[in-house]
Amino acid sequence: MNWQPKNPDFRAFVERFFAAQPYLGLLGAELGRVEPGLAEYRVPLRAELTQQNGFLHGGVTGGVAEAVMGAAAATLVPASANLLGVSYTINLMSPVTGEALLARGQVIKPGRRLMICRADMFGLDAAGEERLCAIAQGTIAMVDGGQNAPTP
Amino acid sequence: MNWQPKNPDFRAFVERFFAAQPYLGLLGAELGRVEPGLAEYRVPLRAELTQQNGFLHGGVTGGVAEAVMGAAAATLVPASANLLGVSYTINLMSPVTGEALLARGQVIKPGRRLMICRADMFGLDAAGEERLCAIAQGTIAMVDGGQNAPTP
Amino acid sequence: MNWQPKNPDFRAFVERFFAAQPYLGLLGAELGRVEPGLAEYRVPLRAELTQQNGFLHGGVTGGVAEAVMGAAAATLVPASANLLGVSYTINLMSPVTGEALLARGQVIKPGRRLMICRADMFGLDAAGEERLCAIAQGTIAMVDGGQNAPTP
Amino acid sequence: MNWQPKNPDFRAFVERFFAAQPYLGLLGAELGRVEPGLAEYRVPLRAELTQQNGFLHGGVTGGVAEAVMGAAAATLVPASANLLGVSYTINLMSPVTGEALLARGQVIKPGRRLMICRADMFGLDAAGEERLCAIAQGTIAMVDGGQNAPTP
C-alpha cells in the first residue's frame, strides 16, 4: 500500500500518540518503524507479561495488536484527529518466544471515519529473526479532538 | 446455560489458574464470581491502564475479555487440562468509566477440544451499577498438561 | 435490552428492508419476529445451501447472521436511514440440523452511526425446538439515503 | 509463505472439494488459481446476490471468504482429511463493484488440527483490475473422514 499522510509531521504525531498512552508504558512497549500507513511496537518479553505456562499472555498480544493498528492509523490522520479502537480480532497461532514481541500494524483502507487495519505479531529472537505468531485485523475510528485532551 | 463441571473442585482450579497468570497481577485484576461455565474478573481503574484520553485502554478491555473467557472455560475442564486462547473478537462500544472494569465470561459451547465463549465487559460504578461497554466472543483450546507447568 | 424505535412503523420498514435484498430471496429466507432491537430470519434447510457433507454451509450461516443483525438494526433507525454491514465475526459451533436455520439478531448498543449487534443461530427442528449452533457479533453502519435506492 | 502440500494431487483434491459444495454452485462461483496454501474463487456479480442498493450482499462476501479459506486449507491436507469452518471475521471496506468478486484465500499457519487463514476480497473489473474491498481471517479445522461423505 502506498498511502499519502495528511500530516507532514506524522512521525512526531505518532511519537506523541505513543507517549500519551500509559498502558503502553506499563507493558514496556517501544516505538519502532513509522511510515505512512505502517507502525511497529516492540515489547521485550518479561515475566510480568506471561500466562500460566510462562508464555506471553494472549491478552498482551491482542492488546498490543489493537494499539499498533491505532498507531498505523495515526500516520494518516490530520493533526487535529483523535483515534479510538472500535473492534479487533486476533488469531493466536503459536506462543510468542524469543526476546520480544514485534507488532507491525498496517492500514489496509483509510476511510473518512473508519480505518481498517491488519497487524502481524512476531516473536523476535536475539538475532533479529521474526517468527509470525498471531494475526489480527480491526477497525480504528478517527474522531475530532486532540489526542492530548485532559484526563476526565 | 446449565453446564456440568467435570472437576468438583472447579473453584479452587480457577483460583489457581487466575493466580498463575502474572499478567493479571500486573493489571491488578481480582477474581469474582465463579460458577459452572461462568467467571468474573474485576479490574480497578487506574492511570497506568489508560490510553491518551484517560480512558481504559482498549487493549486492556480486550485482553481481560480473553482472560475471563479462559477462566469461564476453566470451570468446565478436568483437573489435568491446560487452557490456551485461540482467537477472540471484541467490539468496544463506549469508554469504560466508573471505579472498575467488570468482565463476565461465559461458556456458550463446551467442546471436547474447543470451548466457545462470550464475554460482557462493564464499567462498574461506586454503587455497583453495571454499564455494558464492550462485547467479545472467542475460542479457548483445552490441551493436556497441568496449568502450573514450570516457567520456561 | 429495551430500546425505543425512532420509526413508529419500524415493522413495515424491516419488511421492506427484507424484501429489498435479493440475496435473502435466493437463500429462501423468511422474516420472523420483529421487535424493537430484535429481528429473526428463518431459512428452511435444502440441498442447495449445503457444503460437502450435506450440512448447511458455514458461509450461509455467517451470511444470514450478518443480514439479521442488519434487520435488528433496522428496527431502531429513522425511516430515512440506510444500513450497511461493516464487520462481523462468527463462531460455528456445530452443524445446523433440523428443518431450518433460525437466526436471531439483537442490537446491543445503538450508536449514532454504528450499531453493535449480536446474533444467535439455531437449528430448528419440526417440533420448534431450538439448538444453538453458532454465535456472531458485528457492526452495522447507519448511513443517510433511502434503503430502496435504485440498483446501480 | 512457502508451504509443502501433503497430497501431491492437491489440485484435484481442491477441485473435488469445490464441486462437492452445492452452495458454491448456487452462488455461481468458479475455481481459479490453486497453489500450495492458496486458492481463488471468482463469483460473477448478478442481481440475485445483491442487497437493497444493488451492491453485492455482505453475506455473500463473507460467505465466500469463509469458503475460499477452506479451499486454501484444502491444498495442504492429506487426501483423507475433511475441512470444517470454525470461525471467521470479515471487514467490509467498500462495495464490491465490477464484473466479479475475486476471493483469494491463503493459509498463514497450517497447524495439525487448525489452519489459520486470511482472505482478500476484490472487485474485479472487465480489464482484470483488482480493487480490494474486504479482508477476512479465520480458522479452518482439519478433521478425519472423506470430504465426499454421503449427505445425512
Side-chain angles (χ1 to χ4, degrees):
Chain A
M1 315 276 167
N2 199 358
W3 306 119
Q4 215 44 41
K6 287 179 176 129
N7 176 355
D9 296 327
F10 69 89
R11 181 163 176 109
F13 183 83
V14 173
E15 284 168 0
R16 283 198 309 273
F17 183 65
F18 170 77
Q21 297 179 62
Y23 177 59
L24 298 179
L26 183 69
L27 294 178
E30 302 159 5
L31 182 61
R33 279 169 67 196
V34 177
E35 298 168 12
L38 182 149
E40 285 182 2
Y41 286 163
R42 194 179 164 282
V43 181
L45 300 188
R46 59 194 171 95
E48 284 86 346
L49 304 180
T50 57
Q51 42 78 287
Q52 71 279 4
N53 304 112
F55 297 131
L56 187 70
H57 199 288
V60 177
T61 310
V64 174
E66 195 262 2
V68 83
M69 291 191 283
T75 64
L76 298 183
V77 301
S80 60
N82 192 8
L83 294 155
L84 296 173
V86 168
S87 65
Y88 66 97
T89 295
I90 186 157
N91 284 77
L92 304 160
M93 305 189 304
S94 56
V96 176
T97 53
E99 304 219 317
L101 169 72
L102 174 67
R104 182 174 297 137
Q106 285 184 269
V107 177
I108 304 299
K109 164 95 182 179
R112 267 180 318 142
R113 290 192 195 116
L114 300 180
M115 319 281 277
I116 314 304
C117 302
R118 271 179 172 156
D120 290 331
M121 311 299 284
F122 304 91
L124 197 66
D125 70 16
E129 199 73 36
E130 303 176 359
R131 204 171 62 91
L132 187 62
C133 295
I135 58 172
Q137 66 186 46
T139 303
I140 307 290
M142 178 168 40
V143 296
D144 292 333
Q147 60 175 282
N148 296 314
T151 301
Chain B
M1 316 277 167
N2 198 1
W3 306 118
Q4 214 46 40
K6 287 179 176 128
N7 177 355
D9 296 326
F10 69 90
R11 179 159 181 112
F13 183 84
V14 173
E15 284 169 1
R16 284 199 309 274
F17 183 66
F18 170 77
Q21 298 179 61
Y23 172 60
L24 298 179
L26 184 69
L27 295 179
E30 302 158 6
L31 182 61
R33 280 168 68 196
V34 177
E35 299 169 12
L38 182 149
E40 287 183 0
Y41 286 164
R42 195 179 164 282
V43 181
L45 301 187
R46 59 195 170 94
E48 284 87 346
L49 304 180
T50 57
Q51 40 80 284
Q52 70 279 4
N53 304 113
F55 297 129
L56 188 70
H57 198 287
V60 176
T61 310
V64 174
E66 195 262 2
V68 84
M69 290 190 283
T75 65
L76 297 183
V77 300
S80 60
N82 192 8
L83 294 154
L84 297 173
V86 168
S87 64
Y88 65 97
T89 295
I90 187 157
N91 284 78
L92 304 160
M93 305 189 304
S94 56
V96 176
T97 54
E99 305 218 318
L101 169 71
L102 174 67
R104 181 174 297 138
Q106 285 183 270
V107 177
I108 304 299
K109 163 96 182 178
R112 268 181 319 144
R113 290 192 194 115
L114 300 179
M115 318 281 277
I116 314 304
C117 302
R118 272 179 172 156
D120 291 331
M121 312 298 284
F122 304 91
L124 197 65
D125 70 17
E129 198 74 38
E130 302 176 358
R131 204 171 62 89
L132 186 62
C133 295
I135 59 172
Q137 67 185 45
T139 302
I140 307 291
M142 179 167 41
V143 295
D144 291 332
Q147 60 175 283
N148 296 313
T151 302
Chain C
M1 316 277 167
N2 199 359
W3 306 119
Q4 215 45 41
K6 287 181 175 127
N7 176 355
D9 296 327
F10 69 89
R11 181 163 178 109
F13 183 84
V14 173
E15 284 169 0
R16 284 198 310 274
F17 183 66
F18 170 77
Q21 297 179 63
Y23 173 60
L24 298 179
L26 183 69
L27 294 178
E30 302 159 5
L31 182 61
R33 281 168 67 196
V34 178
E35 298 168 12
L38 182 149
E40 286 182 2
Y41 287 163
R42 195 179 164 282
V43 181
L45 300 187
R46 59 194 170 94
E48 284 86 347
L49 304 181
T50 57
Q51 42 78 287
Q52 70 278 4
N53 304 112
F55 297 130
L56 187 69
H57 199 289
V60 177
T61 310
V64 174
E66 195 262 2
V68 84
M69 291 191 282
T75 65
L76 297 183
V77 301
S80 60
N82 192 7
L83 293 155
L84 297 174
V86 168
S87 64
Y88 66 98
T89 294
I90 187 156
N91 284 76
L92 304 160
M93 305 189 304
S94 55
V96 176
T97 53
E99 305 218 318
L101 169 72
L102 174 67
R104 182 174 297 137
Q106 285 185 269
V107 177
I108 304 299
K109 164 95 182 180
R112 267 180 319 142
R113 290 192 194 115
L114 300 179
M115 318 281 276
I116 314 303
C117 302
R118 272 179 172 157
D120 290 331
M121 312 298 285
F122 304 92
L124 197 65
D125 71 16
E129 198 74 35
E130 303 176 358
R131 204 171 62 90
L132 187 62
C133 295
I135 58 172
Q137 66 186 45
T139 302
I140 308 290
M142 179 167 41
V143 295
D144 291 333
Q147 61 175 282
N148 296 313
T151 301
Chain D
M1 317 278 166
N2 198 1
W3 306 120
Q4 214 46 40
K6 288 180 176 127
N7 177 355
D9 296 327
F10 70 88
R11 181 163 178 109
F13 183 84
V14 173
E15 284 169 359
R16 284 198 309 273
F17 183 65
F18 170 76
Q21 298 179 61
Y23 176 58
L24 298 179
L26 183 69
L27 295 178
E30 302 158 5
L31 182 60
R33 280 170 66 197
V34 177
E35 298 169 12
L38 181 149
E40 286 183 1
Y41 286 163
R42 195 179 163 282
V43 181
L45 301 188
R46 59 195 170 95
E48 283 87 347
L49 304 181
T50 57
Q51 40 80 285
Q52 70 279 3
N53 305 113
F55 297 130
L56 187 70
H57 198 287
V60 176
T61 310
V64 174
E66 195 262 2
V68 84
M69 290 190 284
T75 64
L76 297 183
V77 301
S80 61
N82 193 7
L83 293 155
L84 296 174
V86 168
S87 64
Y88 65 97
T89 295
I90 187 157
N91 283 78
L92 304 160
M93 305 189 303
S94 56
V96 176
T97 54
E99 304 219 318
L101 169 71
L102 174 68
R104 181 174 297 138
Q106 285 184 269
V107 177
I108 304 299
K109 163 95 182 179
R112 268 180 318 143
R113 291 194 194 114
L114 300 180
M115 318 281 277
I116 314 304
C117 302
R118 272 179 171 156
D120 290 331
M121 311 298 285
F122 303 91
L124 197 66
D125 70 16
E129 199 74 37
E130 302 176 359
R131 204 171 62 90
L132 187 62
C133 294
I135 58 172
Q137 66 185 46
T139 303
I140 308 291
M142 178 167 42
V143 296
D144 291 332
Q147 61 176 282
N148 297 313
T151 302

